[in-house]
Amino acid sequence: MKKVDHIGVAVRSIEDALPFYEGVLGIPLLKVEEVDNQGVKVAFLDAGNLKIELLEPISDQSPVSGFIEKRGEGLHHIAFSVETIEERIQELKEKGVRMIDENPKTGAGGASVAFLHPKSSKGVLYELCEKKASKGETT
């Protein structure tokens, strides 16, 4: 794991949550996008050394919708930046870690992502995140 890339926070409404993050905490909004294959709209905020990702479900079938119904709004996951995500998944599986995603999926910003099952990580949902650096951007 290279570093913590972002912390995901489940919210019912990004629009309702942004005034707290931007106005009260002073964390600037970077971008908002929809990730259809995950059933979420996401907003990334720049918290300096990492990003905060607000996750709003866009359908009842979204895993985030189920999370909010079960646990309410709040901390959803911690994402680690990795290189060669396929190798990291294989390495974790060889160490007995149960994966939600045995193959990477496309996440926000076109990143390759995969989640570890919380039953293998003491109840915490962790995400592996491999970003393809674009011109002028570092991961």
Side-chain angles (χ1 to χ4, degrees):
M1 310 298 164
K2 291 172 40 177
K3 64 177 184 169
V4 173
D5 180 76
H6 66 268
I7 296 173
V9 178
V11 297
R12 283 182 170 71
S13 166
I14 287 173
E15 185 178 336
D16 291 346
L18 280 178
F20 173 75
Y21 288 93
E22 290 183 296
V24 176
L25 297 180
I27 302 173
L29 176 66
L30 295 171
K31 67 178 178 176
V32 177
E33 68 179 275
E34 284 194 13
V35 184
D36 292 330
N37 70 342
Q38 299 287 326
V40 293
K41 179 165 75 168
V42 299
F44 281 101
L45 298 119
D46 185 358
N49 61 334
L50 57 81
K51 293 176 190 67
I52 295 177
E53 178 188 36
L54 302 180
L55 302 142
E56 174 187 327
I58 56 175
S59 77
D60 291 340
Q61 288 73 41
S62 166
V64 174
S65 180
F67 177 91
I68 291 172
E69 290 307 311
K70 190 180 213 180
R71 297 192 174 126
E73 295 179 295
L75 180 63
H76 183 263
H77 69 272
I78 298 172
F80 290 110
S81 178
V82 299
E83 293 177 359
T84 59
I85 191 168
E86 293 88 354
E87 289 178 21
R88 296 293 75 76
I89 292 169
Q90 188 58 38
E91 185 179 291
L92 290 166
K93 286 172 52 180
E94 288 170 4
K95 292 179 178 179
V97 174
R98 183 174 161 198
M99 300 294 298
I100 291 174
D101 304 302
E102 295 203 3
N103 296 298
K105 295 182 178 181
T106 302
S112 294
V113 301
F115 287 89
L116 285 69
H117 198 288
K119 288 185 178 178
S120 288
S121 54
K122 306 295 183 202
V124 178
L125 181 61
Y126 288 106
E127 176 185 19
L128 305 178
C129 181
E130 180 181 4
K131 293 182 179 176
K132 311 296 183 222
S134 61
K135 196 173 191 177
E137 179 184 332
T138 58
T139 56

